[in-house]
Every structure is written in structure tokens, then in C-alpha cells.
């Protein structure tokens, strides 16, 4: 077959820029060439947000909160997990005799002891499906019983007003998550260094300048989006070129999580108007082979998570107090271990909180106990609605008023768990 001029054969004719390919490169002739940028022409050109930054770590698959923030003081815990339970003798102290932390969270213990880490336990959702897909959809929509289809974080950004192209960023594999679904701008990238037009490896700096010239002063409906896309790409390149090694001796773990957390720290200190970051951390669906406290699936995942977050905090130094890190998962796991050395889908879970403004070094929430009569169909009962944990972050850290919460979480009876200090007047 003879290649066509646009088939990517690498011949001299293919290197000649046709108008169609030119437009495609700018994302103006088809979405396939665009990086994952949702667009709204009202974006501000430069950063204006200097408030706290929310980092949502979505632990996909159903993280086992009972192995993470361990109820070592509950006599039913060891009874129901004779093979995989974390012994009280090795759990890290929290200052609360009911709870200990998994030993692999040791890199985070200094943050706990300094009040820059806390947890809320027995956190539940209105969804009781125990289905990954349904629970995730409801978790990220956060509007049960309504026709609202946008994500809760998108509604937060809308309430906060117009921001910048970098006001919300999803880092890592995958597309913009459902919690950011909606009209507010969101930007997704695998990483800062690799942020580029999809399929645009052949685009040279000269071509980029030509693309800007082509759309300057025109009224093409996609001109604003194309220009902002080029601006976002140029900003990312500038940030990458200007950043040095991690600061304060921070050492990120190898792998995807360490890499995106390093990028997250770079974005936080770059002054681009960043308000919210999202990162997905998968592979928490441990039906079998959860392992013991030293080795195995859970130990490996928690070690990676702790090492990454500890490095992130160290890298930011005092700037870490500007950040609120929140972990969230679609559901917890059942209380009793199964016959395969794992735990099946459950309900109540633990949320980890890190950063500034916390009533830290504490496990918040109401512990319902693990006695049979206290369980929710065999699962840890949810005594704190997860939306109230989010609501407290938004009011006490992100500047939303309690009156605005109704637009973000429609119908929610507001009962803040007290995990954050009162917002500054």
C-alpha cells in the first residue's frame, strides 16, 4: 500500500505541515490530538489562588481501613482476624489505646506525632451496594437521591469561582476522574515531564509558534481553547525546566506513586493557582493473600503509600501546612477474614488526613465496635458520613461557607467530625 501524505510514513512529504494536520495538532480539528484538558473560555491567565490545596488520593479497589488504622483495643478484632490481623504488640501507637497504625506506616509517624496527620474511622457512604462501580460512582457524585450528575469536586470549584487552567489537576494514569466531572476546568496528565499533545511528537517549537500566530486575533470558536492548551503546555515545560531535585532531603519511592507525588509537590510550590489535585492509587482489592504485617500485599501497598506521602511532606517543608491530603476509597472490607487470607467487600472505612490545620494525632469519629450486634451486615458500620469529612475540609480549609455546602452535597445533614481546627477569621 502506498502511504498517504498523512499516514505517518516519515517521508519528506509527511514532514510538510498540511493545514489539516496543523489544526489537528492544536486540537482544533478533532479531540483526539488534545491533551486531557476540559476547557472554559473564562479561565484566568495567571495564578490567583494562594489558599490551601486539596489533594484527594483515591485508593481504588476498597482499601482495608481495619488493617490501616487498626482497632487493636477492640476484643473482636483479633477474634475475627486470627490470620491477618495486626497484633497490638507491633501496631504503631496513636495515643489512643483503641487504635494503632499499621507498622508499615512508620514513615508517617512523625507527622502523626507533630499533629499533621489524623484519621477519621468508621466512615461510611449512603451507598450499600458493595459494588466497585456503583459505589465509586456514588462516592464521586456525592449527591444520592438527586439527579445531579456532576462530581463533588467540580461543584466545589464552581462555588469557588473562576480560577486558572491549573486550578484542578489529575496526575497519573487514567482520565479526569468522575469527582471532577462537570463544567469547571480540569486538566489531566500522566506527569509534568510527559505532558504533551497526544500524538504530537513531531511538533517542533517552530510549529508551536506558528499555531499561536494562526489563532491570534481570530474568532474561531476553538481559538481560545487551542491557545489555552498551548499555554498550559508551555507552563508545564517551564515548570519542569525550572525545578530542581526534591528539597529537604526528600526521597520519593520508585514507581508511579512516587513520581506523581513529586510532580504534585512541584505544582504546589509553582504558584499556578492550584486548588485541587487528584491522584488514583489502585490495587487495593485484596480478596486473598492480604499478608502479614511484614510482607504481602497490604504491607507492600501501605509501605509505598507511607514512603510517598512522607517524601511529599518533607519535600514541601513548611508549605506542607498549605496542603490537605485526604485518602478515600469506595468502601471498606468485611470485618472477618475469609478462607483465602483476604477480606471481601465491606462498608465502613478509615479516612487518612494529612497537612495543616488538623486536630492532629487523633482518630476522630464514633467507634461502633466490632461485636456481632454492632455490625452492618457483617461490616464495620459507618457512623460518620464521608461527605461530612469532605465538608469539614471545604469549610475549614478551602474557604467555603456552610451555606455553600448545600450546593456541593445536596440534602446532607451537616455534622462535622471535628478533625480540623476552626477556620481563621
Amino acid at each position: 500500500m502506498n502511504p498517504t501524505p498523512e499516514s505517518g510514513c516519515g517521508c519528506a512529504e509527511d514532514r510538510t505541515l498540511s493545514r489539516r494536520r496543523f489544526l489537528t495538532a492544536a486540537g482544533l480539528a478533532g479531540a483526539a490530538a488534545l491533551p486531557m484538558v476540559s476547557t472554559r473560555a473564562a479561565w484566568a491567565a495567571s495564578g490567583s489562588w494562594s489558599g490551601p490545596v486539596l489533594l484527594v488520593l483515591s485508593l481504588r479497589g476498597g482499601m482495608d481501613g481495619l488493617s490501616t488504622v487498626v482497632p487493636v483495643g477492640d476484643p473482636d478484632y483479633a477474634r475475627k482476624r486470627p490470620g491477618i490481623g495486626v497484633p497490638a504488640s507491633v501496631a504503631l501507637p496513636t495515643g489512643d489505646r483503641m487504635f494503632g497504625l499499621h507498622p508499615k506506616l512508620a514513615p508517617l509517624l512523625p507527622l502523626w506525632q507533630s499533629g499533621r496527620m489524623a484519621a477519621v474511622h468508621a466512615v461510611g457512604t449512603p451507598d450499600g451496594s458493595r459494588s466497585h462501580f456503583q459505589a465509586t460512582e456514588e462516592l464521586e457524585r456525592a449527591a444520592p437521591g438527586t439527579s445531579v450528575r456532576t462530581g463533588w469536586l467540580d461543584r466545589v470549584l464552581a462555588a469557588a469561582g473562576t480560577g486558572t487552567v491549573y486550578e484542578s489537576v489529575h496526575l497519573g494514569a487514567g482520565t479526569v476522574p468522575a469527582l471532577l466531572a462537570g463544567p469547571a476546568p480540569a486538566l489531566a496528565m500522566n506527569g509534568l515531564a510527559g505532558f504533551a499533545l497526544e500524538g504530537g511528537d513531531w511538533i517542533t517549537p517552530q510549529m508551536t509558534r506558528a499555531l499561536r500566530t494562526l489563532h491570534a486575533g481570530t474568532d474561531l470558536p476553538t481559538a481560545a481553547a487551542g491557545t489555552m492548551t498551548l499555554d498550559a503546555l508551555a507552563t508545564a515545560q517551564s515548570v519542569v525546566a525550572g525545578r530542581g531535585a526534591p528539597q529537604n532531603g526528600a526521597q520519593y519511592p520508585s514507581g508511579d506513586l512516587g513520581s506523581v507525588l513529586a510532580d504534585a509537590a512541584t505544582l504546589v510550590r509553582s504558584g499556578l493557582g492550584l486548588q485541587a489535585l487528584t491522584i488514583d492509587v489502585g490495587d487495593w482489592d485484596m480478596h486473598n493473600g492480604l499478608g502479614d504485617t511484614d510482607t504481602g500485599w497490604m504491607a507492600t501497598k501501605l509501605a509505598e503509600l507511607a514512603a510517598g506521602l512522607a517524601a511529599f511532606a518533607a519535600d514541601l517543608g513548611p508549605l506542607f501546612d498549605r496542603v490537605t491530603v485526604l485518602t478515600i476509597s469506595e468502601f471498606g472490607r468485611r470485618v472477618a477474614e475469609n478462607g483465602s487470607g483476604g477480606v471481601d467487600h465491606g462498608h465502613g472505612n478509615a479516612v487518612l488526613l494529612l497537612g495543616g490545620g488538623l486536630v492532629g494525632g487523633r482518630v476522630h469519629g464514633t467507634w461502633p465496635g466490632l461485636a456481632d450486634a454492632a455490625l452492618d451486615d457483617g461490616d464495620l458500620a459507618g457512623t460518620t458520613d464521608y461527605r461530612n469529612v469532605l465538608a469539614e475540609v471545604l469549610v475549614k480549609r478551602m474557604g467555603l461557607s456552610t451555606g455553600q455546602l448545600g450546593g456541593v452535597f445536596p440534602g446532607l445533614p451537616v455534622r462535622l467530625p471535628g478533625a480540623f481546627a476552626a477556620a481563621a477569621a
Side-chain angles (χ1 to χ4, degrees):
M1 182 180 75
N2 295 324
T4 67
E6 296 184 5
S7 64
C9 65
C11 64
E13 290 80 3
D14 189 56
R15 292 194 292 271
T16 301
L17 188 64
S18 71
R19 178 173 174 80
R20 178 180 174 188
R21 190 167 187 176
F22 193 81
L23 294 174
T24 301
L28 304 181
L34 273 171
M36 294 173 189
V37 183
S38 70
T39 57
R40 188 172 62 182
W43 289 344
S46 60
S48 56
W49 176 262
S50 58
V53 176
L54 173 61
L55 167 53
V56 179
L57 280 177
S58 295
L59 308 182
R60 307 285 185 185
M63 184 271 287
D64 180 30
L66 293 174
S67 291
T68 305
V69 182
V70 189
V72 292
D74 189 313
D76 290 294
Y77 172 73
R79 181 174 67 83
K80 294 180 176 178
R81 294 195 172 190
I84 63 170
V86 177
S89 59
V90 301
L92 304 175
T94 63
D96 183 334
R97 284 190 291 181
M98 176 59 73
F99 300 104
L101 300 177
H102 192 287
K104 292 300 182 184
L105 296 181
L108 297 176
L109 192 58
L111 293 174
W112 185 278
Q113 293 169 336
S114 66
R116 294 194 292 171
M117 179 177 177
V120 186
H121 221 321
V123 174
T125 75
D127 179 79
S129 67
R130 277 80 165 170
S131 157
H132 290 296
F133 299 107
Q134 181 173 324
T136 298
E137 179 182 350
E138 292 300 316
L139 184 84
E140 301 195 340
R141 195 171 66 91
T146 75
S147 59
V148 172
R149 306 312 304 171
T150 53
W152 67 265
L153 189 50
D154 174 84
R155 300 195 293 274
V156 172
L157 294 167
T162 301
T164 75
V165 66
Y166 278 89
E167 73 173 11
S168 66
V169 177
H170 174 72
L171 280 168
T175 59
V176 174
L179 74 166
L180 282 168
L187 185 149
M189 62 179 77
N190 287 333
L192 277 170
F195 185 43
L197 291 172
E198 293 180 12
D201 294 344
W202 51 274
I203 297 175
T204 65
Q206 293 80 3
M207 291 178 182
T208 300
R209 286 195 292 272
L211 286 166
R212 287 189 182 280
T213 302
L214 178 67
H215 298 101
T218 71
D219 57 359
L220 289 171
T222 53
T227 300
M228 286 185 288
T229 298
L230 292 172
D231 288 344
L233 292 165
T235 298
Q237 292 165 1
S238 175
V239 167
V240 169
R243 75 174 175 185
Q247 298 182 14
N248 308 309
Q251 294 185 336
Y252 289 94
S254 61
D256 292 342
L257 180 59
S259 177
V260 295
L261 284 171
D263 280 349
T266 299
L267 286 171
V268 169
R269 66 164 61 95
S270 294
L272 299 176
L274 181 70
Q275 298 182 45
L277 278 164
T278 64
I279 294 174
D280 289 353
V281 187
D283 203 23
W284 296 90
D285 194 15
M286 302 179 188
H287 288 281
N288 54 68
L290 182 142
D292 58 32
T293 53
D294 291 325
T295 60
W297 193 347
M298 191 69 181
T300 300
K301 292 295 293 182
L302 288 178
E304 180 191 31
L305 181 68
L309 288 174
F312 177 67
D315 192 1
L316 286 175
L319 269 180
F320 187 60
D321 288 336
R322 259 194 68 204
V323 177
T324 293
V325 180
L326 178 147
T327 70
I328 197 164
S329 200
E330 63 263 40
F331 46 62
R333 314 298 296 194
R334 293 186 74 77
V335 174
E337 66 185 59
N338 61 28
S340 301
V343 275
D344 299 320
H345 299 180
H347 184 59
N349 209 344
V351 168
L352 302 180
L353 300 165
L354 300 94
L358 281 165
V359 179
R362 290 179 54 182
V363 179
H364 299 271
T366 301
W367 182 246
L370 299 179
D372 292 346
L375 301 183
D376 177 355
D377 194 21
D379 300 334
L380 174 65
T383 57
T384 297
D385 189 315
Y386 80 105
R387 294 171 295 170
N388 270 314
V389 181
L390 300 176
E392 185 162 22
V393 174
L394 301 181
V395 170
K396 295 185 178 178
R397 293 288 288 165
M398 304 300 290
L400 264 68
S401 68
T402 52
Q404 289 175 301
L405 290 178
V408 178
F409 304 119
L412 173 69
V414 177
R415 300 186 184 93
L416 306 184
F420 289 86

